Amino acid sequence: MTAADPGAPGALADRGDPDPYPNYAWLRENAPVSELYLPHRDGTTWLVTSYDLARACLTDRRLSNDDRNATGEAAPFGTGQWDPARGLLDLDRPEHSRLRGLVVGAFSAGAVERMRPMMTRVVEEAIDAFAGQGACDLVPAFSLPVPVAIIHEILGIPGHIRESPARCLDLFYKAGLTDPIDTAALADLLGYVKHLAEYKRAHPGDDVSGHLIRGLETGELRDHDELAAMILSVLGAGHLTSVQFLGAAIFRLLQHPAQLAAILEGEFSWAGAINEILRYDSPVQATAYRHVTEDMELGGVSLARGDSMLISLAAANRDPSRFDDPDEFRVDRPVQSNLGFGYGAHLCLGAQLARLEGEIALDILFRRLDGLTLSIPFDEVVWTYGPMLRGPRTLPVVFSGTTT
Ligand code: HEM
């Protein structure tokens, strides 16, 4: 296989590929900087798959997140429908630092710890809703609604004006992560987020939206479009990713019951388990597009100004030059940072939140549901797979009872 084959990772959008990792391994070994075949995108796009090159790219100032530096087709949020308001992942410094600085404190370890009671309540309520049934699909019942509810709570968006979790995920996915993007979904999504921003201006609170609205008053946010772009960034990044993460975590821990038991008995930590899930099943498979701002060499390959790039965090996180036995799932691995939350200036803003949310959700789920097992063979679970995100599409389970 070559990277230009339709079977290469970048061409798999929406195909429901069960296991992209053999492709990643081939590319990492044979062409760690390889040209991607992307039928709906003009210009040249590269895929980076080795750990060292991926990490180096994530701090390379010659690579820009701003699609105005690309010769190829503009990224979704630069389509002119909502220009020039861009979210965090669409900007470089100094604009990126100005906007990130507005919200970074709201996602610090201390701030996130204060969200613990809210997160616990959301998780308990989600389980209460299906606890009496003895069977359910844990994606629509748990791994989807929990992160969607938590990120809306953090933004101070009350239940009565929220989209349903499934529609919320669908809109963000179709508007931002499919190739080509669904312009009707993009218009709906922008309408939804503008509505939320207007609601929050009329009903300000001591929440992340309130923080941002104060930024409008102090001049740190330029205008209402920028406010909506920030809400869009946090709302989207805060659930698209965690939905995949929770689904992958439940799948892997059910598949490795001895490791799960050791975690619940306190022999292994949730922190270690969460790190290993991020590494082994990287929910964000590849970063947002980067764009080359000057001709450069990377891994012996010449990249031209205006070329675009995807950095495969998933491939990097299974690189044998960085991780021993990378294809083995082991929650007791020695602590070693991986690229599951990215690296550099765009390192995940919600990393602390995602870790605590994961720990609370998984701990309560596995303690409350007795005899929890998957009701289909593990290899029949279909995983969603675009170039960017990956997680199980369904998780049908049975359980014998619940503990309150
Ligand atoms: C396990 C769940 C999560 C994973 C795996 C994850 C992963 C990532 C990754 C890899 C990036 C960098 C992308 C790039 O460089 O192109 C990122 C950025 C980001 N994440 Fe997360 N994320 C998760 C949860 C969250 C949550 C809960 C929030 C809520 C606030 C969040 C907010 C963000 C934001 C706003 C950015 C953009 C940061 C910037 O550009 O400065 N993420 N995330």
Side-chain angles (χ1 to χ4, degrees), residues 88-89 96 100 107 237-238 241 245 287-288 290 313 340-342 346 348:
L88 289 176
L89 278 170
H96 171 259
R100 188 166 164 125
F107 293 98
T241 49
F245 170 78
T287 58
R290 302 306 201 250
L313 305 176
F341 283 125
H346 294 272
C348 178

Side-chain angles (χ1 to χ4, degrees), residues 242-324:
S242 292
V243 169
Q244 317 302 328
F245 170 78
L246 279 185
I250 294 166
F251 178 96
R252 279 308 157 208
L253 293 171
L254 288 175
Q255 195 183 32
H256 295 89
Q259 297 195 44
L260 172 59
I263 298 167
L264 295 175
E265 282 157 18
E267 191 185 330
F268 301 151
S269 71
W270 273 119
I274 286 169
N275 255 354
E276 180 64 350
I277 293 152
L278 285 166
R279 185 194 73 79
Y280 191 83
D281 279 316
S282 304
V284 176
Q285 294 265 296
T287 58
Y289 285 104
R290 302 306 201 250
H291 311 289
V292 178
T293 60
E294 58 185 80
D295 293 354
M296 61 188 272
E297 289 280 312
L298 185 72
V301 176
S302 302
L303 316 187
R305 179 165 174 255
D307 286 355
S308 298
M309 176 189 289
L310 287 174
I311 301 162
S312 175
L313 305 176
N317 280 338
R318 298 270 195 113
D319 189 333
S321 72
R322 167 79 179 168
F323 303 100
D324 293 339

